[in-house]
């Protein structure tokens, strides 16, 4: 077993799993402390590297695309300090870090682990239930429902409608962006039954973020939700274009709302076909799949 212990955290590798435990040092980010221990299976790894520096080096894990819901939702926008797959290594432990890298690389070679995208999450995402308060609201997710509650800083037109509860099956997509410069960030849930183009400040399905310390924690809520939604790289059924796979895989239900949603899907397919995004064959196949659910 390989192990490296630093103020920033502890990494261990037993041949099958890289186990990451954040350190208790005050410099360790709130996101990493809140996320807690992370177990990364060998199959989720695309690589590992050690970058030496003048004062300290950095140990980095590179995960395969689609393996981790947190990386999927943050899309490379997490600051280094909040990245759970980065470890600051003091210069007197450089040899240990290099040994750790060799052990993981050898295991990847022996197991012939592929480096390409995966079709399903190999990490479970943040533990549930999860509640985070930041920006103009508080988001809670219990595995089935998302609840958004507002605070005194929320725009009145948004808070006047009261707290919002969203069923997971009604959420079409989740988006998280950090604040950058003068641009505020947000956590937004796109809901099929209530589409809107309103800015996050006024959107009752979004929490606006202003760049404060707790903002990155909203990415954990987003990751927890995304982990329980259709995987973006899941293979489409035979004859269904990949971009339509989540809709085609969704279970049919007899409610009137689902009927309206399927009619909207038919209109969307027609628009994609007219725009040249779908070929005649793709349009026909996808349309038939939707019609079978009506």
């Amino acid at each position: 077993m390989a192990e490296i212990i630093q103020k920033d955290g502890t990494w261990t590798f037993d041949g099958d799993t890289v186990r990451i435990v954040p350190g208790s040092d005050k410099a360790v980010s709130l996101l990493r402390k809140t996320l807690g221990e992370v177990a990364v299976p060998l199959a989720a790894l695309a690589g590992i590297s050690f970058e030496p520096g003048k004062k300290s080096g950095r140990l980095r894990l590179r995960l395969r695309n689609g393996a981790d819901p947190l990386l999927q939702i943050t899309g490379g926008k997490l600051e280094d300090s909040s990245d759970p797959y980065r470890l600051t290594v003091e210069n007197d432990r450089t040899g240990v870090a290099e040994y750790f890298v060799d052990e993981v690389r050898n295991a990847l070679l022996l197991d012939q682990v592929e480096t390409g995208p995966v079709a399903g999450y190999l990490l479970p995402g943040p533990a549930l239930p999860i509640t985070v308060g930041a920006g103009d609201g508080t988001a809670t997710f219990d595995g089935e429902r998302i609840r958004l509650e507002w605070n005194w800083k929320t725009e009145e037109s948004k808070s006047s409608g009261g707290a919002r509860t969203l069923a997971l099956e009604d959420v079409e997509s989740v988006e998280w962006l950090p604040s950058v410069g003068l641009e505020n960030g947000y956590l937004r849930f796109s809901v099929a039954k209530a589409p809107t183009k309103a800015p996050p400040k006024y959107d009752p399905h979004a929490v606006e973020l202003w760049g404060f310390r707790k903002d990155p924690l909203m990415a954990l809520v987003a990751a927890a939700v995304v982990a329980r939604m259709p995987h973006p790289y899941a293979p489409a059924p035979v004859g269904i274009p990949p971009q339509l796979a989540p809709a085609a895989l969704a279970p049919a239900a007899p409610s009137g709302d689902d009927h309206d949603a399927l009619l909207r899907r038919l209109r969307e397919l027609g628009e994609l076909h007219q725009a040249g995004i779908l070929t005649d064959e793709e349009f026909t196949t996808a349309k038939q799949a939707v019609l079978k659910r009506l």
Side-chain angles (χ1 to χ4, degrees), residues 35-49:
L35 180 61
E37 181 176 322
V38 178
V40 185
L42 193 64
L45 291 179
I48 184 171
S49 63

Side-chain angles (χ1 to χ4, degrees), residues 12-170:
T12 58
F13 178 59
D14 61 6
D16 296 312
T17 303
V18 176
R19 198 166 299 278
I20 299 172
V21 179
S24 57
D25 189 77
K26 63 180 181 179
V28 177
S29 76
L30 185 59
L31 183 147
R32 291 173 56 205
K33 288 181 178 178
T34 304
L35 180 61
E37 181 176 322
V38 178
V40 185
L42 193 64
L45 291 179
I48 184 171
S49 63
F50 175 66
E51 306 162 1
K54 291 183 178 180
K55 295 184 178 180
S56 61
R58 289 189 294 187
L59 196 58
R60 287 184 181 272
L61 283 183
R62 184 165 57 89
L63 272 61
R64 297 170 65 184
N65 287 338
D68 178 21
L70 177 60
L71 295 186
Q72 186 68 33
I73 194 65
T74 54
K77 297 181 178 68
L78 272 182
E79 294 182 354
D80 274 0
S81 60
S82 294
D83 185 349
Y85 306 113
R86 178 198 62 84
L87 180 71
T88 299
V89 178
E90 297 172 6
N91 284 339
D92 63 350
R93 308 304 287 170
T94 294
V96 178
E98 291 174 343
Y99 172 75
F100 194 97
V101 168
D102 289 341
E103 288 293 293
V104 175
R105 284 179 177 170
N106 288 340
L108 289 171
L109 289 173
L110 288 172
D111 284 27
Q112 297 183 337
V113 176
E114 297 182 4
T115 59
V118 296
Y121 293 119
L122 300 180
L123 282 84
L128 297 179
I130 183 170
T131 298
V132 172
D136 68 351
T138 297
T140 299
F141 180 54
D142 62 6
E144 296 181 355
R145 297 187 178 277
I146 302 153
R147 184 168 176 81
L148 302 176
E149 300 175 277
W150 314 116
N151 56 40
W152 65 273
K153 295 171 284 188
T154 310
E155 181 69 26
E156 185 177 355
S157 61
K158 179 167 149 180
S159 62
S160 60
R164 295 296 176 114
T165 300
L166 308 174
L168 179 62
E169 58 266 26
D170 292 334

